[in-house]
Amino acid sequence: MRVELVQTGTELLTGARLNLHAQWLSERLTSMGYEVVRQTVVADAAGAICEAVAGALGRVRLVVVTGGLGPTSDDRTREEIAQLLGRRLVEDTQVLRRLEAFYAARNRVMPERARVQALVPEGAVVLENRWGTAPGLALEVSPEVRAGLGEGKGPVRAEGTGWLVLLPGPTREMRPMFEERVVPLLAKVLPVEEEWASVVLRTVGLPESVVEARVTAVLEGGGGSGVEVGYCAHAGEVDVRLVARGPGARERVGRAEHRVRLELGQAVYGAGEVTLEAVVLEMLRARAETVAVAESCTGGCVAHRLTNVPGASASFVAGWVTYSNESKVRGLGVTPAALAAHGAVSAEVAKQMAEGARRMAGSTHGLAITGIAGPTGGSAEKPVGTVFLAYAGPGGTEVERRFHPIDRVSFKEVTATYALDLLRRALLRGAGTD
Amino acid sequence: MRVELVQTGTELLTGARLNLHAQWLSERLTSMGYEVVRQTVVADAAGAICEAVAGALGRVRLVVVTGGLGPTSDDRTREEIAQLLGRRLVEDTQVLRRLEAFYAARNRVMPERARVQALVPEGAVVLENRWGTAPGLALEVSPEVRAGLGEGKGPVRAEGTGWLVLLPGPTREMRPMFEERVVPLLAKVLPVEEEWASVVLRTVGLPESVVEARVTAVLEGGGGSGVEVGYCAHAGEVDVRLVARGPGARERVGRAEHRVRLELGQAVYGAGEVTLEAVVLEMLRARAETVAVAESCTGGCVAHRLTNVPGASASFVAGWVTYSNESKVRGLGVTPAALAAHGAVSAEVAKQMAEGARRMAGSTHGLAITGIAGPTGGSAEKPVGTVFLAYAGPGGTEVERRFHPIDRVSFKEVTATYALDLLRRALLRGAGTD
């Protein structure tokens, strides 16, 4: 079942914003068994959406459009699609009421312009927006209309009814709507009928080329695995995607997953949409243990990632961002002598930070990070990218020295990932109060 | 001068990889005065590149293609483009020599398959690849050929000679090639001749519909401004982009910018690529003042954003993530009585956190955030999304209550933005030492 994505957004075309929707939607649709064959971004200009969507509907049965549903004059998707499909726009009373309630709950008067968001093309399915104003819309498109639209816009493959799904642009509105409204709708109207299976194994701590070499070696022996493998490296992690289609797909993917997990061992921290931080917090929660984190160069990144996970407060109790030598002393009890002898970026200071956090917070475990994020601050013996990670637990403290010579923002993310993994590996070893 | 981008990459279509090229190339081209009107991603499948490039060449004079120039069987760009434009592929001796030297320098034998990278379509300009094997290619395309290619693939606007630029996929090869080879070539063969101007005003604290209404009102009076306006809302901020082309463009944008700044006043915190956190840190640095931040529900997000800015340590000295009542007491001196009487999410506790951070860190200013990020933890009188922001300075402490009923992760970002803005507005009022 082939899919195309169309996004509107002048901010994407000027390069002002990074396009996250394309990857997110493509990953979700791929994991559901669909095949994304094209992604297009067009301007907010009149007619641009029409043109791109018409061409897409002539080629594939599912077209997902994001953007242009808001209340401003740049938002043309509703009008253009209604015009393209020859449907009248009618004000939907239920949508209007929900709009009014949205503004009322925020003690605001609904601007007159915002009312356009209650207009629904005739025959469209309304997709409720729990987190914003504009509802999404889904429209069925007959093969005849598909063929007509696609004419003169490239190759036409118009067998079968098509569906056009319109989603709002803001991420926090679009993603829940997709999960809660679009996924069930597609299961009903455009299900993927051939057998398919897909799993993404999440790994941490190994370089991409090593992961690829080891996975290839273990899967390609003996006539191959009948499974396609893809790799995606990001911030100290490498995701390994295994996909198969057709009869026996699930069995082939199951077997391949088993072989890869055996080969990569502890480097695999989970599968699917999990995050390393959620995995670590769950391990702590299951043991009724807690952690405190002292950060210098990561500047709050570790605490921020941990607290993104609902329920983090069960296991994460306190964090420090000791961004100056003085705050390390006053906040964590790091000794001035250690700072003078070794410097803030040292194994000894990392150790004292981790132990200090654990002591001050009264937590089971302590984690600390001190390093040089750059671009300035490096030296010959401690260049930019140098970092010390420390784990303090009931059984003692361990320190790891690492080197991540990358840009400042990436340094923080990668270092935070390795710090969380240091804690994960300590927990796997049983380093708690058992 | 309109441009389209075409990328090949199955890993982009499965969502395995995030598309960074589109943003990078769009930003570079936009800053050079070009107008990117479409971005397309197609599969590595045979014919897909052809189809997308043909349509693009029928519409615009500059098409930039990335990917598919390597030595593997997935790499089809060279062949498909040669076929599309009816050009023979000829082995270029100089390119072949450079290929052989590349492998020799790495003590490797050049694989036979790698030799295809020395094939050059007749008439193409070779763009040297300093960091990899496959050279880029640039091909001039006459208006007649453009019109022919574009036929049946959408609207055709084929006046003027076109250029097709083919670049390698790997980022570290593509970007230097673009800067060193493509930029000078474009200046020679497809310079932007009309005057153009563009500015993005960064605003915070106003809803998007309000910004649009006020900007529209101030620009559309008196015959209009001759300037196009675009809006992009994200996490409590709204970017206002003003663009004009043609004679007098710079003057029109300058005048429009002036009017918008007057109208929106302090809501405008900067222009262009700045971040709110960088603006706040610069204000502090210029006054030789410092800030400490105590966070509960934002969990380190504020500290993380501040420390993303190089040089943050000049003004940001310490942060706390007091994620439990106990850590608020032990770390910041919040009184158990206040917690008992008002609860952790209250104006009084926010005040004590901000004053405690300021006192403990010895900083000029203190900032604190306490609230309910959700999805659980709310009550009738303090629903999920309730948050108290506090600013503590030499002149006293102020507390703001806000309500952001959105998902947990967005709540943290939006709340962090408003906290930074609370500090910014205090600094604008002159709330420092003097």
Side-chain angles (χ1 to χ4, degrees):
Chain A
M1 178 69 66
R2 293 157 64 253
V3 185
E4 291 197 17
L5 305 183
V6 177
Q7 290 173 255
T8 85
T10 299
E11 70 278 4
L12 294 177
L13 296 174
T14 58
R17 302 244 142 245
L18 184 59
N19 188 349
L20 299 176
H21 288 346
Q23 185 192 31
W24 191 85
L25 283 167
S26 296
E27 203 282 326
R28 291 298 295 115
L29 288 161
T30 301
S31 73
M32 290 160 63
Y34 297 94
E35 194 186 347
V36 180
V37 294
R38 186 185 293 219
Q39 299 162 347
T40 307
V41 179
V42 295
D44 297 328
I49 299 164
C50 260
E51 208 266 312
V53 170
L57 277 171
R59 289 185 292 265
V60 300
R61 293 180 67 187
L62 175 59
V63 179
V64 181
V65 178
T66 54
L69 292 180
T72 74
S73 53
D74 288 345
D75 295 301
R76 300 173 212 272
T77 301
R78 244 179 328 265
E79 294 165 39
E80 290 212 3
I81 294 303
Q83 190 170 41
L84 185 73
L85 301 180
R87 313 257 183 115
R88 278 195 320 150
L89 281 169
V90 181
E91 189 173 83
D92 183 303
T93 321
Q94 204 181 8
V95 173
L96 180 60
R97 279 210 203 99
R98 243 187 263 126
L99 265 180
E100 290 168 337
F102 179 92
Y103 285 95
R106 286 155 184 74
N107 287 323
R108 288 171 51 196
V109 174
M110 174 167 82
E112 191 53 37
R113 175 76 207 178
R115 203 167 162 145
V116 300
Q117 296 167 108
L119 295 174
V120 173
E122 276 180 315
V125 175
V126 172
L127 308 173
E128 190 191 336
N129 186 341
R130 278 205 296 130
W131 298 100
T133 49
L137 300 162
L139 301 100
E140 193 172 355
V141 187
S142 70
E144 296 76 35
V145 172
R146 286 185 56 216
L149 289 175
E151 210 182 297
K153 293 189 171 57
V156 175
R157 284 178 55 169
E159 315 79 42
T161 297
W163 277 82
L164 176 57
V165 175
L166 312 180
L167 301 175
T171 300
R172 59 186 178 74
E173 299 177 31
M174 187 276 284
R175 294 186 187 188
M177 189 184 293
F178 183 87
E179 300 292 4
E180 293 158 20
R181 305 289 164 188
V182 179
V183 171
L185 176 71
L186 291 179
K188 211 174 67 171
V189 304
L190 271 185
V192 174
E193 271 150 358
E194 69 169 351
E195 188 183 339
W196 62 278
S198 162
V199 73
V200 179
L201 296 176
R202 308 291 300 276
T203 80
V204 59
L206 296 173
E208 186 182 14
S209 52
V210 169
V211 173
E212 191 188 4
R214 291 173 63 177
V215 169
T216 303
V218 83
L219 288 184
E220 286 191 2
S225 57
V227 163
E228 279 174 53
V229 191
Y231 304 88
C232 179
H234 55 96
E237 303 187 29
V238 180
D239 301 337
V240 182
R241 167 183 289 279
L242 309 169
V243 187
R245 291 180 188 275
R250 276 186 287 270
E251 195 193 282
R252 295 202 299 281
V253 167
R255 246 184 298 139
E257 177 180 352
H258 179 70
R259 285 191 214 166
V260 171
R261 282 182 177 271
L262 264 179
E263 170 60 34
L264 297 181
Q266 276 194 7
V268 178
Y269 72 81
E273 283 304 293
V274 291
T275 59
L276 183 58
E277 42 268 33
V279 166
V280 167
L281 285 167
E282 177 52 30
M283 291 170 85
L284 289 167
R285 194 200 60 74
R287 302 160 197 224
E289 294 175 358
T290 56
V291 66
V293 185
E295 305 183 56
S296 192
C297 57
T298 41
C301 184
V302 177
H304 177 44
R305 283 171 62 169
L306 284 168
T307 57
N308 276 339
V309 183
S313 59
S315 323
F316 170 72
V317 294
W320 285 262
V321 181
T322 48
Y323 220 58
S324 62
N325 281 2
E326 193 179 340
S327 57
K328 289 175 176 70
V329 172
R330 291 168 79 159
L332 297 170
V334 171
T335 65
L339 285 163
H342 307 284
V345 178
S346 60
E348 179 57 28
V349 169
K351 175 175 183 286
Q352 290 190 15
M353 285 172 67
E355 291 172 356
R358 185 170 175 262
R359 184 178 57 248
M360 296 300 216
S363 54
T364 324
H365 311 276
L367 208 55
I369 303 109
T370 177
I372 307 162
T376 56
S379 65
E381 54 155 41
K382 288 178 198 171
V384 166
T386 300
V387 64
F388 291 87
L389 310 175
Y391 161 78
T397 304
E398 61 165 303
V399 181
E400 232 177 58
R401 178 180 181 148
R402 304 194 59 90
F403 183 52
H404 304 142
I406 52 188
D407 64 281
R408 186 186 178 90
V409 173
S410 302
F411 169 91
K412 291 173 72 185
E413 288 290 348
V414 171
T415 301
T417 291
Y418 276 98
L420 290 167
D421 196 44
L422 178 65
L423 174 61
R424 184 185 68 105
R425 285 182 280 113
L427 295 175
L428 285 172
R429 281 195 316 268
T433 51
D434 68 329
Chain B
M1 179 69 66
R2 292 155 67 250
V3 185
E4 290 196 18
L5 305 182
V6 176
Q7 291 172 256
T8 86
T10 298
E11 72 279 3
L12 295 176
L13 295 174
T14 59
R17 289 209 171 270
L18 185 59
N19 188 346
L20 299 176
H21 288 347
Q23 184 189 33
W24 191 85
L25 283 167
S26 296
E27 202 280 322
R28 292 296 295 114
L29 289 161
T30 300
S31 73
M32 291 160 63
Y34 296 93
E35 194 188 349
V36 180
V37 294
R38 185 185 295 220
Q39 302 161 349
T40 307
V41 179
V42 294
D44 298 327
I49 299 164
C50 256
E51 208 266 309
V53 169
L57 277 171
R59 291 186 291 264
V60 300
R61 293 180 67 186
L62 175 58
V63 179
V64 180
V65 177
T66 54
L69 292 179
T72 76
S73 54
D74 289 345
D75 295 299
R76 299 173 211 274
T77 300
R78 245 180 329 266
E79 295 166 39
E80 292 212 3
I81 294 302
Q83 191 171 39
L84 185 73
L85 300 181
R87 314 259 183 114
R88 277 196 318 151
L89 279 169
V90 181
E91 190 175 81
D92 182 302
T93 322
Q94 201 182 10
V95 174
L96 180 60
R97 279 211 203 96
R98 242 188 265 127
L99 264 180
E100 290 168 338
F102 178 93
Y103 284 95
R106 287 156 183 73
N107 289 321
R108 287 170 55 193
V109 174
M110 177 169 76
E112 190 54 34
R113 175 76 206 176
R115 202 167 163 147
V116 299
Q117 294 167 109
L119 294 174
V120 173
E122 277 179 313
V125 175
V126 171
L127 309 172
E128 191 190 337
N129 186 343
R130 277 205 297 130
W131 299 99
T133 49
L137 300 161
L139 301 98
E140 193 172 357
V141 187
S142 71
E144 296 75 36
V145 172
R146 287 184 56 215
L149 289 174
E151 209 181 299
K153 294 191 172 55
V156 174
R157 285 178 54 169
E159 313 81 41
T161 297
W163 276 83
L164 177 57
V165 175
L166 312 179
L167 302 174
T171 300
R172 56 187 177 73
E173 297 176 33
M174 187 275 283
R175 293 186 187 189
M177 188 185 292
F178 183 88
E179 301 289 5
E180 294 159 20
R181 305 290 163 187
V182 178
V183 171
L185 176 70
L186 291 180
K188 211 174 71 176
V189 304
L190 270 186
V192 174
E193 269 150 359
E194 67 170 353
E195 188 184 338
W196 61 279
S198 163
V199 73
V200 179
L201 297 175
R202 308 292 300 278
T203 80
V204 59
L206 297 174
E208 185 182 12
S209 52
V210 170
V211 173
E212 196 202 357
R214 291 173 64 177
V215 168
T216 302
V218 84
L219 287 185
E220 289 195 357
S225 57
V227 163
E228 275 171 56
V229 191
Y231 305 90
C232 179
H234 55 99
E237 303 187 28
V238 180
D239 300 339
V240 181
R241 169 180 288 278
L242 308 169
V243 186
R245 292 177 186 277
R250 273 185 289 268
E251 196 193 280
R252 294 203 301 281
V253 167
R255 243 185 300 136
E257 176 180 353
H258 179 71
R259 283 192 217 166
V260 172
R261 280 181 179 273
L262 263 179
E263 169 62 32
L264 297 182
Q266 278 193 5
V268 179
Y269 73 81
E273 282 305 292
V274 291
T275 58
L276 182 59
E277 42 267 33
V279 166
V280 167
L281 285 167
E282 177 52 29
M283 290 169 83
L284 289 167
R285 194 202 58 76
R287 302 160 198 224
E289 292 174 0
T290 56
V291 67
V293 186
E295 305 181 56
S296 190
C297 56
T298 41
C301 184
V302 177
H304 177 44
R305 283 171 62 169
L306 284 167
T307 57
N308 275 339
V309 183
S313 59
S315 323
F316 171 72
V317 295
W320 285 260
V321 182
T322 49
Y323 220 58
S324 62
N325 281 2
E326 194 180 337
S327 58
K328 288 175 177 69
V329 172
R330 289 168 79 161
L332 296 169
V334 171
T335 63
L339 284 163
H342 306 283
V345 178
S346 61
E348 180 58 27
V349 169
K351 175 176 185 288
Q352 291 190 15
M353 285 171 66
E355 291 172 356
R358 184 172 177 260
R359 183 176 60 247
M360 296 301 218
S363 55
T364 324
H365 312 275
L367 208 55
I369 303 107
T370 176
I372 308 164
T376 57
S379 67
E381 54 155 42
K382 288 178 197 170
V384 166
T386 300
V387 65
F388 291 87
L389 310 177
Y391 161 79
T397 304
E398 61 166 303
V399 182
E400 233 177 56
R401 176 177 183 152
R402 304 195 58 91
F403 184 52
H404 304 143
I406 51 188
D407 64 281
R408 185 186 180 91
V409 172
S410 302
F411 169 90
K412 291 174 72 187
E413 286 292 345
V414 171
T415 301
T417 291
Y418 277 99
L420 289 166
D421 197 43
L422 178 66
L423 174 60
R424 183 184 71 102
R425 286 181 281 114
L427 294 174
L428 285 172
R429 283 195 315 268
T433 52
D434 84 323

